[in-house]
């Protein structure tokens, strides 16, 4: 790096020397009243004071206005924009956090509602089952008592029918004995005989 | 060399010094007014969503700001107006110089030298004021063996002194070379065109070439302003911290 700088230094010295030589030539020409002579106008040192003066003047003017007015204003605008964007980003973050909270609350509420609904469904179902069961069992009890009373009635009717059969048989036997053998039989005696016979038969069966 | 000729517009002489308002001063004035109008408008808009002009101003601001933070660090903010003014003056000089019949004030060693020495003396004065004799450590790199030290110190001093010269000559030479090249190539075009017959066909090549060169020269105008600003930052870094 230093080597390169030294080379550049040497080169710039060479250019400066050439400049001096040219300036001398130009000066010689201008003394002779020839302004448009050869050589670079850059090395006409007569113009240097003016150029440096005006450059310094404009530099000071620009520096002052830039540092006092323009740059603080632009910096201000950039800061404002940055804080504006940051504020909005922050607000968006807060809102999104809120939205997340609300979503969580919503999910919680949904879950709770689901639980409650299934509980209620369970309750109603259980109740229905119990009622169904009650109704069924009361129906069965009534049904069974009906059946048993009906059976009792049938048995009674059967018994009645059987005792009727005995008296009919005794009656027939009395009438048969009168007709066939001409014997007058006592109907109540006959009935006793029939009843004992049917009791015997029933016992044998 | 006529394009580099300085001609007075308003002759002024103060104490034997010729400080006439010349065509060079005129283009400095145009450049200064233009940059003030551009940046003034850009700075006064203050809109959250920038328009075109405001965006240009903010882009230049951001560009120079990045240049400073990259090359000096956050302590370099105090030099922001200096580097910014430097950059604006040089880029305006180069860009306005591309206008036909204009004058490129950065094509004169007096102007580039004034700017370069401004940086040089800023570094020197702020460095000494801030670091005192410690500033001389700039010339003594660490880890150099004793017997080599005199030579290294000499080289460091020469390289330090050569800073304003390289800085000014680089800019001036680039501007001059570009404008001379454009003029020479344009001269070829005119030469072919005035040859008569089908000679005008020969001027097509220099004209096409010159179009490319002009585009390239706009790039050079920007690059030189950038290089000048970067080197200014690197030199100013010595006033903020001495690396050794």
């Amino acid at each position: 790096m230093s080597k390169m700088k030294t080379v550049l230094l040497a080169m710039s010295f060479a250019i400066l020397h050439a400049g001096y030589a040219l300036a001398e030539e130009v000066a010689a020409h201008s003394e002779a009243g020839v302004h448009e002579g050869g050589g670079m106008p850059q090395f006409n040192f007569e113009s240097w004071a003016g150029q440096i003066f005006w450059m310094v003047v404009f530099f000071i003017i620009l520096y002052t206005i830039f540092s006092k007015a323009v740059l603080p204003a632009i910096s201000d605008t950039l800061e404002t924009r940055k804080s504006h964007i940051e504020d909005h980003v922050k607000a968006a973050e807060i809102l999104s956090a809120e939205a997340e909270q609300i979503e969580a609350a919503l999910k919680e509420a949904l879950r709770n509602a689901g639980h409650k609904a299934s509980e209620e469904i369970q309750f109603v179902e259980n109740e229905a089952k119990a009622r169904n069961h009650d109704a069924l069992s009361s129906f069965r009890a009534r049904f069974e008592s009906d059946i048993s009373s009906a059976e009792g009635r049938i048995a009674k009717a059967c018994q009645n029918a059987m005792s009727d059969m005995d008296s009919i048989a005794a009656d027939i036997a009395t009438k048969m004995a009168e007709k066939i053998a001409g014997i007058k039989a006592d109907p109540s005696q006959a009935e006793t005989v029939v009843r004992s016979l049917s009791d015997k038969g029933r016992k044998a069966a | 060399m006529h394009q580099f000729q300085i001609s007075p517009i308003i002759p002024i002489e103060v104490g034997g010094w010729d400080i006439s308002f010349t065509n060079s001063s005129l283009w400095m004035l145009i450049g200064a007014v233009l940059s003030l109008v551009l940046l003034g408008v850009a700075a006064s808009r203050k809109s959250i969503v920038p328009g075109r002009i405001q965006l240009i101003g903010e882009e230049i601001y951001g560009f120079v700001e990045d240049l400073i933070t990259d090359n000096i660090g956050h302590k370099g903010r105090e030099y922001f107006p200096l580097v910014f003014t430097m950059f604006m003056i040089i880029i305006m000089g180069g860009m306005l110089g591309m206008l036909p019949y204009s004058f490129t004030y950065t094509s004169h060693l007096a102007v580039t030298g004034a700017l370069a020495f401004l940086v040089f003396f800023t570094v020197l004065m702020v460095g000494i004021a801030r670091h005192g004799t410690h500033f001389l450590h700039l010339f003594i790199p660490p880890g150099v063996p004793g017997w080599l030290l005199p030579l290294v110190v000499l080289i460091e001093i020469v390289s330090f002194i050569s800073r304003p010269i390289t800085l000014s000559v680089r800019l001036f030479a680039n501007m001059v070379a570009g404008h001379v090249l454009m003029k020479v190539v344009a001269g070829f075009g005119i030469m072919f065109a005035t040859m008569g017959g089908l000679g005008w066909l020969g001027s097509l090549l220099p004209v096409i070439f010159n179009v490319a060169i002009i585009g390239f020269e706009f790039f050079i105008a920007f690059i030189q302003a950038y290089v000048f600003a970067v080197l200014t930052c690197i030199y100013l870094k010595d006033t903020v911290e001495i690396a050794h």
Side-chain angles (χ1 to χ4, degrees):
Chain A
M1 195 63 201
S2 288
K3 200 186 269 178
M4 214 177 85
K5 278 182 186 165
T6 357
V7 170
L8 282 172
L9 178 72
M11 275 168 61
S12 41
F13 271 131
I15 291 167
L16 280 175
H17 276 294
Y20 275 116
L22 284 169
E24 275 167 21
E25 205 183 336
V26 169
H29 275 292
S30 58
E31 268 169 31
V34 184
H35 279 281
E36 290 277 335
M40 293 172 82
Q42 279 85 349
F43 298 107
N44 175 12
F45 293 101
E46 281 174 7
S47 67
W48 277 47
Q51 285 191 72
I52 293 165
F53 171 77
W54 287 107
M55 187 74 267
V56 170
V57 165
F58 285 118
F59 190 93
I60 290 167
I61 292 170
L62 284 178
Y63 185 92
T64 313
I65 297 175
F66 282 157
S67 63
K68 290 279 185 302
V70 170
L71 297 178
I74 294 178
S75 161
D76 211 45
T77 310
L78 292 176
E79 281 301 315
T80 313
R81 180 175 310 145
K82 206 177 153 194
S83 63
H84 184 84
I85 290 167
E86 272 171 5
D87 285 353
H88 276 69
V89 167
K90 217 171 276 173
E93 273 169 5
I94 289 166
L95 283 176
S96 102
E98 264 175 27
E100 259 168 37
Q101 274 179 357
I102 290 167
E103 201 193 340
L106 176 73
K107 273 183 184 164
E108 181 71 26
L110 267 176
R111 204 164 42 234
N112 284 346
H115 276 306
K116 211 176 164 191
S118 64
E119 268 170 20
E120 273 174 10
I121 287 166
Q122 195 66 44
F123 176 76
V124 169
E125 199 180 315
N126 287 344
E127 211 180 18
K129 265 182 191 165
R131 213 182 297 158
N132 191 19
H133 187 259
D134 284 355
L136 210 64
S137 55
S138 71
F139 172 73
R140 187 174 289 143
R142 207 173 60 226
F143 176 71
E144 273 167 4
S145 74
D146 279 2
I147 285 173
S148 63
S149 73
E151 272 174 348
R153 270 203 314 276
I154 287 164
K156 211 173 178 181
C158 199
Q159 213 172 355
N160 286 347
M162 286 307 279
S163 61
D164 284 354
M165 283 282 262
D166 283 351
S167 62
I168 287 166
D171 197 32
I172 289 169
T174 322
K175 284 197 176 135
M176 270 167 66
E178 215 176 72
K179 279 251 171 98
I180 296 162
I183 307 163
K184 236 191 156 119
D186 185 21
S188 61
Q189 228 175 330
E191 202 177 328
T192 316
V193 172
V194 168
R195 191 155 291 151
S196 67
L197 278 171
S198 71
D199 278 351
K200 249 181 220 163
R202 222 172 280 160
K203 263 173 201 157
Chain B
M1 291 298 152
H2 180 258
Q3 58 174 327
F4 303 121
Q5 202 67 51
I6 288 176
S7 45
I9 296 170
I10 307 163
I12 304 167
E13 203 178 310
V14 176
W17 293 95
D18 176 25
I19 52 163
S20 304
F21 190 83
T22 59
N23 52 351
S24 167
S25 323
L26 175 69
W27 285 96
M28 284 180 199
L29 179 67
I30 292 170
V33 168
L34 214 65
S35 49
L36 280 178
V37 167
L38 173 73
L39 290 160
V41 170
S44 64
R45 288 288 155 89
K46 288 182 176 293
S47 156
I48 291 290
V49 179
R52 290 189 191 90
I53 290 178
Q54 193 186 339
L55 193 65
I56 291 169
E58 282 169 7
E59 285 299 314
I60 300 170
Y61 181 97
F63 183 77
V64 178
E65 192 181 36
D66 287 348
L67 220 71
I68 286 171
T69 43
D70 288 352
N71 292 296
I72 310 180
H74 288 288
K75 284 181 189 167
R77 280 211 68 88
E78 55 187 329
Y79 297 117
F80 191 54
L82 178 73
V83 179
F84 192 86
T85 313
M86 216 49 113
F87 181 76
M88 282 315 292
I89 285 177
I90 294 165
I91 201 162
M92 274 296 167
M95 291 295 174
L96 290 176
M98 291 309 294
L99 296 174
Y101 303 108
S102 73
F103 184 88
T104 319
Y105 56 82
T106 44
S107 69
H108 273 253
L109 192 56
V111 170
T112 61
L115 294 174
F117 273 99
L118 199 94
V119 174
F120 179 76
F121 284 119
T122 305
V123 171
L124 203 62
M125 286 191 292
V126 176
I128 288 169
R130 202 168 282 176
H131 299 288
T133 51
H134 183 67
F135 189 67
L136 295 175
H137 281 83
L138 196 65
F139 305 119
I140 310 165
V144 175
W147 58 273
L148 206 59
L149 207 56
L151 185 67
V152 170
V153 168
L154 187 72
I155 290 169
E156 287 288 336
I157 289 170
V158 167
S159 97
F160 184 78
I161 292 167
S162 68
R163 280 175 180 184
I165 299 161
T166 54
L167 202 55
S168 55
V169 170
R170 180 184 301 108
L171 178 56
F172 142 76
N174 266 288
M175 293 297 126
V176 170
H179 283 79
V180 168
L181 185 63
M182 281 191 287
K183 191 181 176 178
V184 167
V185 175
F188 282 144
I190 290 164
M191 196 185 81
F192 280 118
T194 51
M195 249 165 56
L198 288 176
W200 63 272
L201 280 172
S203 68
L204 284 177
L205 195 67
V207 166
I208 291 164
F209 192 51
N210 228 6
V211 169
I213 290 175
I214 286 167
F216 188 62
E217 282 304 316
F218 275 110
F219 175 66
I220 294 276
F222 165 74
I223 270 297
Q224 285 307 315
Y226 172 74
V227 164
F228 201 101
V230 165
L231 288 171
T232 300
C233 287
I234 289 169
Y235 297 158
L236 285 169
K237 193 180 189 304
D238 289 339
T239 66
V240 174
E241 56 183 49
I242 291 167
H244 38 266

